[in-house]
PDB file of all heavy atoms in Angstrom:
ATOM      1  N   GLU A   1     121.775 103.835  92.846  1.00 93.00           N
ATOM      2  CA  GLU A   1     122.843 102.748  92.607  1.00 93.00           C
ATOM      3  C   GLU A   1     122.388 101.428  93.074  1.00 93.00           C
ATOM      4  O   GLU A   1     122.516 100.422  92.365  1.00 93.00           O
ATOM      5  CB  GLU A   1     124.142 103.204  93.393  1.00 93.00           C
ATOM      6  CG  GLU A   1     125.207 102.080  93.360  1.00 93.00           C
ATOM      7  CD  GLU A   1     126.282 102.341  94.461  1.00 93.00           C
ATOM      8  OE1 GLU A   1     126.224 103.369  95.066  1.00 93.00           O
ATOM      9  OE2 GLU A   1     127.112 101.456  94.582  1.00 93.00           O
ATOM     10  N   MET A   2     121.759 101.392  94.266  1.00 93.00           N
ATOM     11  CA  MET A   2     121.318 100.050  94.848  1.00 93.00           C
ATOM     12  C   MET A   2     120.077  99.531  94.131  1.00 93.00           C
ATOM     13  O   MET A   2     119.936  98.319  94.074  1.00 93.00           O
ATOM     14  CB  MET A   2     121.032 100.215  96.343  1.00 93.00           C
ATOM     15  CG  MET A   2     122.275 100.586  97.143  1.00 93.00           C
ATOM     16  SD  MET A   2     123.729  99.626  96.781  1.00 93.00           S
ATOM     17  CE  MET A   2     123.141  97.979  97.135  1.00 93.00           C
ATOM     18  N   LYS A   3     119.291 100.362  93.481  1.00 94.00           N
ATOM     19  CA  LYS A   3     118.214  99.748  92.633  1.00 94.00           C
ATOM     20  C   LYS A   3     118.828  98.926  91.573  1.00 94.00           C
ATOM     21  O   LYS A   3     118.340  97.785  91.188  1.00 94.00           O
ATOM     22  CB  LYS A   3     117.366 100.940  92.031  1.00 94.00           C
ATOM     23  CG  LYS A   3     116.456 101.551  93.021  1.00 94.00           C
ATOM     24  CD  LYS A   3     115.615 102.685  92.334  1.00 94.00           C
ATOM     25  CE  LYS A   3     114.667 103.346  93.262  1.00 94.00           C
ATOM     26  NZ  LYS A   3     113.932 104.466  92.722  1.00 94.00           N
ATOM     27  N   THR A   4     119.921  99.367  90.943  1.00 94.00           N
ATOM     28  CA  THR A   4     120.590  98.595  89.924  1.00 94.00           C
ATOM     29  C   THR A   4     121.217  97.316  90.464  1.00 94.00           C
ATOM     30  O   THR A   4     121.125  96.306  89.867  1.00 94.00           O
ATOM     31  CB  THR A   4     121.648  99.454  89.209  1.00 94.00           C
ATOM     32  OG1 THR A   4     121.057 100.633  88.640  1.00 94.00           O
ATOM     33  CG2 THR A   4     122.357  98.714  88.130  1.00 94.00           C
ATOM     34  N   VAL A   5     121.886  97.545  91.652  1.00 94.00           N
ATOM     35  CA  VAL A   5     122.590  96.375  92.273  1.00 94.00           C
ATOM     36  C   VAL A   5     121.578  95.304  92.593  1.00 94.00           C
ATOM     37  O   VAL A   5     121.858  94.112  92.347  1.00 94.00           O
ATOM     38  CB  VAL A   5     123.335  96.849  93.540  1.00 94.00           C
ATOM     39  CG1 VAL A   5     123.843  95.660  94.322  1.00 94.00           C
ATOM     40  CG2 VAL A   5     124.530  97.726  93.128  1.00 94.00           C
ATOM     41  N   VAL A   6     120.485  95.685  93.274  1.00 94.00           N
ATOM     42  CA  VAL A   6     119.501  94.637  93.644  1.00 94.00           C
ATOM     43  C   VAL A   6     118.893  93.956  92.444  1.00 94.00           C
ATOM     44  O   VAL A   6     118.716  92.710  92.364  1.00 94.00           O
ATOM     45  CB  VAL A   6     118.328  95.327  94.500  1.00 94.00           C
ATOM     46  CG1 VAL A   6     117.268  94.273  94.678  1.00 94.00           C
ATOM     47  CG2 VAL A   6     118.944  95.778  95.809  1.00 94.00           C
ATOM     48  N   SER A   7     118.659  94.705  91.361  1.00 94.00           N
ATOM     49  CA  SER A   7     118.121  94.039  90.143  1.00 94.00           C
ATOM     50  C   SER A   7     119.170  93.091  89.507  1.00 94.00           C
ATOM     51  O   SER A   7     118.747  92.033  89.015  1.00 94.00           O
ATOM     52  CB  SER A   7     117.798  95.168  89.102  1.00 94.00           C
ATOM     53  OG  SER A   7     116.716  95.992  89.548  1.00 94.00           O
ATOM     54  N   GLU A   8     120.419  93.453  89.590  1.00 92.00           N
ATOM     55  CA  GLU A   8     121.405  92.522  88.987  1.00 92.00           C
ATOM     56  C   GLU A   8     121.579  91.308  89.919  1.00 92.00           C
ATOM     57  O   GLU A   8     121.680  90.139  89.355  1.00 92.00           O
ATOM     58  CB  GLU A   8     122.779  93.201  88.990  1.00 92.00           C
ATOM     59  CG  GLU A   8     122.799  94.343  87.880  1.00 92.00           C
ATOM     60  CD  GLU A   8     124.131  95.124  87.889  1.00 92.00           C
ATOM     61  OE1 GLU A   8     124.878  94.995  88.835  1.00 92.00           O
ATOM     62  OE2 GLU A   8     124.355  95.936  86.901  1.00 92.00           O
ATOM     63  N   LEU A   9     121.504  91.513  91.184  1.00 92.00           N
ATOM     64  CA  LEU A   9     121.526  90.327  92.086  1.00 92.00           C
ATOM     65  C   LEU A   9     120.323  89.398  91.918  1.00 92.00           C
ATOM     66  O   LEU A   9     120.456  88.225  91.876  1.00 92.00           O
ATOM     67  CB  LEU A   9     121.551  90.733  93.579  1.00 92.00           C
ATOM     68  CG  LEU A   9     122.877  91.369  94.089  1.00 92.00           C
ATOM     69  CD1 LEU A   9     122.696  92.096  95.439  1.00 92.00           C
ATOM     70  CD2 LEU A   9     123.975  90.392  94.155  1.00 92.00           C
ATOM     71  N   ASP A  10     119.131  89.989  91.780  1.00 91.00           N
ATOM     72  CA  ASP A  10     117.946  89.284  91.524  1.00 91.00           C
ATOM     73  C   ASP A  10     118.081  88.512  90.163  1.00 91.00           C
ATOM     74  O   ASP A  10     117.499  87.405  90.018  1.00 91.00           O
ATOM     75  CB  ASP A  10     116.738  90.150  91.511  1.00 91.00           C
ATOM     76  CG  ASP A  10     115.454  89.383  91.416  1.00 91.00           C
ATOM     77  OD1 ASP A  10     115.178  88.525  92.267  1.00 91.00           O
ATOM     78  OD2 ASP A  10     114.709  89.604  90.403  1.00 91.00           O
ATOM     79  N   GLY A  11     118.732  89.106  89.184  1.00 87.00           N
ATOM     80  CA  GLY A  11     118.883  88.467  87.876  1.00 87.00           C
ATOM     81  C   GLY A  11     119.728  87.236  87.933  1.00 87.00           C
ATOM     82  O   GLY A  11     119.506  86.283  87.198  1.00 87.00           O
ATOM     83  N   SER A  12     120.766  87.255  88.817  1.00 80.00           N
ATOM     84  CA  SER A  12     121.677  86.091  88.928  1.00 80.00           C
ATOM     85  C   SER A  12     121.304  85.116  89.949  1.00 80.00           C
ATOM     86  O   SER A  12     121.691  83.864  89.909  1.00 80.00           O
ATOM     87  CB  SER A  12     123.065  86.548  89.233  1.00 80.00           C
ATOM     88  OG  SER A  12     123.143  87.215  90.486  1.00 80.00           O
ATOM     89  N   ASP A  13     120.508  85.553  90.927  1.00 77.00           N
ATOM     90  CA  ASP A  13     120.101  84.663  92.050  1.00 77.00           C
ATOM     91  C   ASP A  13     118.692  85.103  92.446  1.00 77.00           C
ATOM     92  O   ASP A  13     118.458  85.716  93.484  1.00 77.00           O
ATOM     93  CB  ASP A  13     121.094  84.768  93.219  1.00 77.00           C
ATOM     94  CG  ASP A  13     120.854  83.670  94.273  1.00 77.00           C
ATOM     95  OD1 ASP A  13     120.061  82.758  94.069  1.00 77.00           O
ATOM     96  OD2 ASP A  13     121.418  83.782  95.356  1.00 77.00           O
ATOM     97  N   SER A  14     117.708  84.787  91.635  1.00 85.00           N
ATOM     98  CA  SER A  14     116.407  85.387  91.743  1.00 85.00           C
ATOM     99  C   SER A  14     115.696  85.120  93.077  1.00 85.00           C
ATOM    100  O   SER A  14     115.701  83.981  93.574  1.00 85.00           O
ATOM    101  CB  SER A  14     115.474  84.834  90.700  1.00 85.00           C
ATOM    102  OG  SER A  14     114.148  85.460  90.802  1.00 85.00           O
ATOM    103  N   LEU A  15     115.109  86.140  93.621  1.00 92.00           N
ATOM    104  CA  LEU A  15     114.268  86.049  94.887  1.00 92.00           C
ATOM    105  C   LEU A  15     112.978  85.302  94.587  1.00 92.00           C
ATOM    106  O   LEU A  15     112.406  84.680  95.485  1.00 92.00           O
ATOM    107  CB  LEU A  15     114.029  87.444  95.425  1.00 92.00           C
ATOM    108  CG  LEU A  15     115.208  88.225  95.935  1.00 92.00           C
ATOM    109  CD1 LEU A  15     114.731  89.620  96.327  1.00 92.00           C
ATOM    110  CD2 LEU A  15     115.926  87.504  97.092  1.00 92.00           C
ATOM    111  N   GLY A  16     112.422  85.475  93.346  1.00 92.00           N
ATOM    112  CA  GLY A  16     111.153  84.962  93.040  1.00 92.00           C
ATOM    113  C   GLY A  16     110.038  85.645  93.794  1.00 92.00           C
ATOM    114  O   GLY A  16     108.920  85.155  93.922  1.00 92.00           O
ATOM    115  N   LEU A  17     110.284  86.868  94.197  1.00 94.00           N
ATOM    116  CA  LEU A  17     109.296  87.741  94.921  1.00 94.00           C
ATOM    117  C   LEU A  17     109.363  89.153  94.381  1.00 94.00           C
ATOM    118  O   LEU A  17     110.475  89.596  93.893  1.00 94.00           O
ATOM    119  CB  LEU A  17     109.624  87.761  96.487  1.00 94.00           C
ATOM    120  CG  LEU A  17     109.469  86.496  97.249  1.00 94.00           C
ATOM    121  CD1 LEU A  17     110.007  86.776  98.659  1.00 94.00           C
ATOM    122  CD2 LEU A  17     108.081  86.065  97.306  1.00 94.00           C
ATOM    123  N   PRO A  18     108.232  89.917  94.492  1.00 95.00           N
ATOM    124  CA  PRO A  18     108.375  91.298  94.207  1.00 95.00           C
ATOM    125  C   PRO A  18     109.198  92.028  95.262  1.00 95.00           C
ATOM    126  O   PRO A  18     109.231  91.616  96.407  1.00 95.00           O
ATOM    127  CB  PRO A  18     106.891  91.765  94.283  1.00 95.00           C
ATOM    128  CG  PRO A  18     106.196  90.821  95.124  1.00 95.00           C
ATOM    129  CD  PRO A  18     106.863  89.458  94.948  1.00 95.00           C
ATOM    130  N   PHE A  19     109.894  93.027  94.831  1.00 96.00           N
ATOM    131  CA  PHE A  19     110.700  93.750  95.795  1.00 96.00           C
ATOM    132  C   PHE A  19     110.654  95.265  95.421  1.00 96.00           C
ATOM    133  O   PHE A  19     110.398  95.643  94.276  1.00 96.00           O
ATOM    134  CB  PHE A  19     112.124  93.268  95.847  1.00 96.00           C
ATOM    135  CG  PHE A  19     112.851  93.377  94.584  1.00 96.00           C
ATOM    136  CD1 PHE A  19     113.535  94.583  94.198  1.00 96.00           C
ATOM    137  CD2 PHE A  19     112.937  92.268  93.696  1.00 96.00           C
ATOM    138  CE1 PHE A  19     114.244  94.624  92.944  1.00 96.00           C
ATOM    139  CE2 PHE A  19     113.586  92.353  92.475  1.00 96.00           C
ATOM    140  CZ  PHE A  19     114.327  93.552  92.149  1.00 96.00           C
ATOM    141  N   LYS A  20     110.929  96.133  96.461  1.00 96.00           N
ATOM    142  CA  LYS A  20     110.967  97.571  96.255  1.00 96.00           C
ATOM    143  C   LYS A  20     112.308  98.099  96.968  1.00 96.00           C
ATOM    144  O   LYS A  20     112.741  97.473  97.950  1.00 96.00           O
ATOM    145  CB  LYS A  20     109.677  98.222  96.858  1.00 96.00           C
ATOM    146  CG  LYS A  20     108.451  97.721  96.176  1.00 96.00           C
ATOM    147  CD  LYS A  20     107.214  98.436  96.792  1.00 96.00           C
ATOM    148  CE  LYS A  20     105.978  97.881  96.100  1.00 96.00           C
ATOM    149  NZ  LYS A  20     104.767  98.629  96.614  1.00 96.00           N
ATOM    150  N   VAL A  21     112.771  99.173  96.475  1.00 96.00           N
ATOM    151  CA  VAL A  21     113.939  99.847  97.066  1.00 96.00           C
ATOM    152  C   VAL A  21     113.562 101.277  97.387  1.00 96.00           C
ATOM    153  O   VAL A  21     113.051 101.992  96.541  1.00 96.00           O
ATOM    154  CB  VAL A  21     115.121  99.794  96.010  1.00 96.00           C
ATOM    155  CG1 VAL A  21     116.339 100.583  96.599  1.00 96.00           C
ATOM    156  CG2 VAL A  21     115.502  98.371  95.744  1.00 96.00           C
ATOM    157  N   VAL A  22     113.798 101.670  98.618  1.00 96.00           N
ATOM    158  CA  VAL A  22     113.553 103.032  99.102  1.00 96.00           C
ATOM    159  C   VAL A  22     114.669 103.582  99.904  1.00 96.00           C
ATOM    160  O   VAL A  22     115.562 102.809 100.341  1.00 96.00           O
ATOM    161  CB  VAL A  22     112.235 103.042  99.945  1.00 96.00           C
ATOM    162  CG1 VAL A  22     111.041 102.561  99.171  1.00 96.00           C
ATOM    163  CG2 VAL A  22     112.403 102.236 101.244  1.00 96.00           C
ATOM    164  N   ALA A  23     114.644 104.837 100.107  1.00 95.00           N
ATOM    165  CA  ALA A  23     115.662 105.597 100.832  1.00 95.00           C
ATOM    166  C   ALA A  23     115.344 105.544 102.257  1.00 95.00           C
ATOM    167  O   ALA A  23     114.214 105.642 102.726  1.00 95.00           O
ATOM    168  CB  ALA A  23     115.741 107.085 100.313  1.00 95.00           C
ATOM    169  N   GLY A  24     116.369 105.473 103.124  1.00 93.00           N
ATOM    170  CA  GLY A  24     116.279 105.523 104.550  1.00 93.00           C
ATOM    171  C   GLY A  24     116.121 106.969 105.033  1.00 93.00           C
ATOM    172  O   GLY A  24     116.171 107.888 104.260  1.00 93.00           O
ATOM    173  N   GLY A  25     115.989 107.087 106.344  1.00 93.00           N
ATOM    174  CA  GLY A  25     115.837 108.423 106.925  1.00 93.00           C
ATOM    175  C   GLY A  25     117.006 108.711 107.909  1.00 93.00           C
ATOM    176  O   GLY A  25     117.988 107.946 108.023  1.00 93.00           O
ATOM    177  N   ALA A  26     116.846 109.755 108.660  1.00 91.00           N
ATOM    178  CA  ALA A  26     117.885 110.220 109.523  1.00 91.00           C
ATOM    179  C   ALA A  26     118.127 109.206 110.709  1.00 91.00           C
ATOM    180  O   ALA A  26     119.248 109.005 111.142  1.00 91.00           O
ATOM    181  CB  ALA A  26     117.608 111.588 110.099  1.00 91.00           C
ATOM    182  N   ARG A  27     117.038 108.608 111.173  1.00 93.00           N
ATOM    183  CA  ARG A  27     117.058 107.613 112.247  1.00 93.00           C
ATOM    184  C   ARG A  27     116.603 106.259 111.745  1.00 93.00           C
ATOM    185  O   ARG A  27     115.922 106.232 110.736  1.00 93.00           O
ATOM    186  CB  ARG A  27     116.246 108.075 113.401  1.00 93.00           C
ATOM    187  CG  ARG A  27     116.624 109.441 114.015  1.00 93.00           C
ATOM    188  CD  ARG A  27     115.487 109.910 115.008  1.00 93.00           C
ATOM    189  NE  ARG A  27     114.220 110.115 114.386  1.00 93.00           N
ATOM    190  CZ  ARG A  27     113.095 110.369 114.955  1.00 93.00           C
ATOM    191  NH1 ARG A  27     113.074 110.494 116.328  1.00 93.00           N
ATOM    192  NH2 ARG A  27     111.997 110.532 114.311  1.00 93.00           N
ATOM    193  N   ARG A  28     116.824 105.287 112.580  1.00 92.00           N
ATOM    194  CA  ARG A  28     116.408 103.941 112.222  1.00 92.00           C
ATOM    195  C   ARG A  28     114.885 103.892 112.100  1.00 92.00           C
ATOM    196  O   ARG A  28     114.357 103.344 111.124  1.00 92.00           O
ATOM    197  CB  ARG A  28     116.865 102.914 113.284  1.00 92.00           C
ATOM    198  CG  ARG A  28     116.440 101.448 113.022  1.00 92.00           C
ATOM    199  CD  ARG A  28     116.769 100.584 114.225  1.00 92.00           C
ATOM    200  NE  ARG A  28     116.654  99.202 113.916  1.00 92.00           N
ATOM    201  CZ  ARG A  28     115.522  98.487 113.827  1.00 92.00           C
ATOM    202  NH1 ARG A  28     114.417  99.190 114.088  1.00 92.00           N
ATOM    203  NH2 ARG A  28     115.452  97.267 113.554  1.00 92.00           N
ATOM    204  N   GLN A  29     114.174 104.568 113.003  1.00 94.00           N
ATOM    205  CA  GLN A  29     112.785 104.479 112.957  1.00 94.00           C
ATOM    206  C   GLN A  29     112.222 105.266 111.695  1.00 94.00           C
ATOM    207  O   GLN A  29     111.154 104.896 111.152  1.00 94.00           O
ATOM    208  CB  GLN A  29     112.142 105.101 114.217  1.00 94.00           C
ATOM    209  CG  GLN A  29     112.375 106.589 114.499  1.00 94.00           C
ATOM    210  CD  GLN A  29     112.301 106.882 115.978  1.00 94.00           C
ATOM    211  OE1 GLN A  29     113.102 106.526 116.806  1.00 94.00           O
ATOM    212  NE2 GLN A  29     111.252 107.613 116.269  1.00 94.00           N
ATOM    213  N   ASP A  30     112.954 106.251 111.241  1.00 94.00           N
ATOM    214  CA  ASP A  30     112.551 106.910 110.009  1.00 94.00           C
ATOM    215  C   ASP A  30     112.755 106.024 108.812  1.00 94.00           C
ATOM    216  O   ASP A  30     111.925 105.975 107.909  1.00 94.00           O
ATOM    217  CB  ASP A  30     113.412 108.223 109.785  1.00 94.00           C
ATOM    218  CG  ASP A  30     113.238 109.206 110.974  1.00 94.00           C
ATOM    219  OD1 ASP A  30     112.094 109.274 111.544  1.00 94.00           O
ATOM    220  OD2 ASP A  30     114.258 109.834 111.387  1.00 94.00           O
ATOM    221  N   SER A  31     113.767 105.246 108.813  1.00 95.00           N
ATOM    222  CA  SER A  31     114.086 104.352 107.788  1.00 95.00           C
ATOM    223  C   SER A  31     112.934 103.210 107.669  1.00 95.00           C
ATOM    224  O   SER A  31     112.488 102.834 106.611  1.00 95.00           O
ATOM    225  CB  SER A  31     115.441 103.631 107.942  1.00 95.00           C
ATOM    226  OG  SER A  31     116.454 104.594 107.787  1.00 95.00           O
ATOM    227  N   VAL A  32     112.544 102.699 108.859  1.00 96.00           N
ATOM    228  CA  VAL A  32     111.475 101.752 108.954  1.00 96.00           C
ATOM    229  C   VAL A  32     110.203 102.302 108.389  1.00 96.00           C
ATOM    230  O   VAL A  32     109.470 101.674 107.554  1.00 96.00           O
ATOM    231  CB  VAL A  32     111.272 101.279 110.394  1.00 96.00           C
ATOM    232  CG1 VAL A  32     110.005 100.327 110.463  1.00 96.00           C
ATOM    233  CG2 VAL A  32     112.504 100.485 110.903  1.00 96.00           C
ATOM    234  N   PHE A  33     109.840 103.602 108.740  1.00 96.00           N
ATOM    235  CA  PHE A  33     108.594 104.142 108.280  1.00 96.00           C
ATOM    236  C   PHE A  33     108.586 104.325 106.753  1.00 96.00           C
ATOM    237  O   PHE A  33     107.583 104.118 106.170  1.00 96.00           O
ATOM    238  CB  PHE A  33     108.319 105.390 109.027  1.00 96.00           C
ATOM    239  CG  PHE A  33     106.958 105.978 108.777  1.00 96.00           C
ATOM    240  CD1 PHE A  33     105.881 105.450 109.441  1.00 96.00           C
ATOM    241  CD2 PHE A  33     106.748 107.006 107.880  1.00 96.00           C
ATOM    242  CE1 PHE A  33     104.583 105.918 109.159  1.00 96.00           C
ATOM    243  CE2 PHE A  33     105.458 107.515 107.650  1.00 96.00           C
ATOM    244  CZ  PHE A  33     104.354 106.944 108.255  1.00 96.00           C
ATOM    245  N   ASN A  34     109.752 104.688 106.267  1.00 96.00           N
ATOM    246  CA  ASN A  34     109.819 104.827 104.790  1.00 96.00           C
ATOM    247  C   ASN A  34     109.549 103.480 104.158  1.00 96.00           C
ATOM    248  O   ASN A  34     108.953 103.410 103.109  1.00 96.00           O
ATOM    249  CB  ASN A  34     111.247 105.361 104.414  1.00 96.00           C
ATOM    250  CG  ASN A  34     111.445 106.762 104.799  1.00 96.00           C
ATOM    251  OD1 ASN A  34     110.501 107.477 105.257  1.00 96.00           O
ATOM    252  ND2 ASN A  34     112.642 107.282 104.598  1.00 96.00           N
ATOM    253  N   GLY A  35     110.070 102.414 104.768  1.00 96.00           N
ATOM    254  CA  GLY A  35     109.841 101.062 104.189  1.00 96.00           C
ATOM    255  C   GLY A  35     108.327 100.649 104.313  1.00 96.00           C
ATOM    256  O   GLY A  35     107.814 100.053 103.393  1.00 96.00           O
ATOM    257  N   LEU A  36     107.756 101.000 105.382  1.00 96.00           N
ATOM    258  CA  LEU A  36     106.354 100.712 105.623  1.00 96.00           C
ATOM    259  C   LEU A  36     105.444 101.386 104.615  1.00 96.00           C
ATOM    260  O   LEU A  36     104.427 100.907 104.195  1.00 96.00           O
ATOM    261  CB  LEU A  36     105.913 101.026 107.051  1.00 96.00           C
ATOM    262  CG  LEU A  36     106.603 100.383 108.198  1.00 96.00           C
ATOM    263  CD1 LEU A  36     105.949 100.792 109.536  1.00 96.00           C
ATOM    264  CD2 LEU A  36     106.519  98.836 108.044  1.00 96.00           C
ATOM    265  N   SER A  37     105.859 102.632 104.191  1.00 95.00           N
ATOM    266  CA  SER A  37     105.029 103.401 103.336  1.00 95.00           C
ATOM    267  C   SER A  37     104.838 102.917 101.931  1.00 95.00           C
ATOM    268  O   SER A  37     103.980 103.363 101.216  1.00 95.00           O
ATOM    269  CB  SER A  37     105.595 104.840 103.237  1.00 95.00           C
ATOM    270  OG  SER A  37     106.915 104.849 102.610  1.00 95.00           O
ATOM    271  N   VAL A  38     105.731 101.894 101.509  1.00 96.00           N
ATOM    272  CA  VAL A  38     105.638 101.345 100.159  1.00 96.00           C
ATOM    273  C   VAL A  38     105.118  99.952 100.195  1.00 96.00           C
ATOM    274  O   VAL A  38     105.185  99.203  99.113  1.00 96.00           O
ATOM    275  CB  VAL A  38     106.966 101.502  99.416  1.00 96.00           C
ATOM    276  CG1 VAL A  38     107.323 102.931  99.277  1.00 96.00           C
ATOM    277  CG2 VAL A  38     108.098 100.635 100.117  1.00 96.00           C
ATOM    278  N   LEU A  39     104.682  99.442 101.270  1.00 95.00           N
ATOM    279  CA  LEU A  39     104.200  98.044 101.321  1.00 95.00           C
ATOM    280  C   LEU A  39     102.932  97.843 100.516  1.00 95.00           C
ATOM    281  O   LEU A  39     102.184  98.795 100.233  1.00 95.00           O
ATOM    282  CB  LEU A  39     103.949  97.673 102.804  1.00 95.00           C
ATOM    283  CG  LEU A  39     105.097  97.501 103.678  1.00 95.00           C
ATOM    284  CD1 LEU A  39     104.701  97.175 105.119  1.00 95.00           C
ATOM    285  CD2 LEU A  39     106.054  96.345 103.169  1.00 95.00           C
ATOM    286  N   SER A  40     102.725  96.646 100.084  1.00 92.00           N
ATOM    287  CA  SER A  40     101.561  96.289  99.318  1.00 92.00           C
ATOM    288  C   SER A  40     100.303  96.632 100.050  1.00 92.00           C
ATOM    289  O   SER A  40     100.259  96.479 101.331  1.00 92.00           O
ATOM    290  CB  SER A  40     101.565  94.756  98.949  1.00 92.00           C
ATOM    291  OG  SER A  40     100.316  94.343  98.594  1.00 92.00           O
ATOM    292  N   ALA A  41      99.259  97.015  99.401  1.00 92.00           N
ATOM    293  CA  ALA A  41      97.986  97.307 100.038  1.00 92.00           C
ATOM    294  C   ALA A  41      97.345  96.052 100.617  1.00 92.00           C
ATOM    295  O   ALA A  41      96.515  96.109 101.511  1.00 92.00           O
ATOM    296  CB  ALA A  41      96.974  97.875  99.024  1.00 92.00           C
ATOM    297  N   ARG A  42      97.843  94.888 100.251  1.00 94.00           N
ATOM    298  CA  ARG A  42      97.298  93.621 100.768  1.00 94.00           C
ATOM    299  C   ARG A  42      98.155  93.108 101.971  1.00 94.00           C
ATOM    300  O   ARG A  42      97.833  92.074 102.611  1.00 94.00           O
ATOM    301  CB  ARG A  42      97.297  92.502  99.690  1.00 94.00           C
ATOM    302  CG  ARG A  42      96.321  92.769  98.554  1.00 94.00           C
ATOM    303  CD  ARG A  42      96.407  91.722  97.516  1.00 94.00           C
ATOM    304  NE  ARG A  42      97.687  91.615  96.846  1.00 94.00           N
ATOM    305  CZ  ARG A  42      98.012  92.362  95.846  1.00 94.00           C
ATOM    306  NH1 ARG A  42      97.249  93.300  95.351  1.00 94.00           N
ATOM    307  NH2 ARG A  42      99.233  92.326  95.298  1.00 94.00           N
TER     308      ARG A  42
END
């Protein structure tokens, strides 16, 4: 659902940046690690 929401928000008020949407985990630190796992190789 949020992939669609973020795309719509970006369409009306563009970030001008690449973005990714991922699922969180059971704990805050799990959610952070999930976010780190999809970062750009650069």
Side-chain angles (χ1 to χ4, degrees):
E1 171 196 354
M2 295 313 299
K3 285 180 179 177
T4 301
V5 170
V6 171
S7 293
E8 289 176 349
L9 288 168
D10 186 61
S12 62
D13 190 12
S14 178
L15 296 173
L17 292 174
F19 61 84
K20 300 180 180 182
V21 176
V22 299
R27 301 169 298 173
R28 183 186 189 279
Q29 63 204 71
D30 300 323
S31 294
V32 173
F33 190 75
N34 289 354
L36 300 181
S37 66
V38 298
L39 290 174
S40 161
R42 294 180 297 276

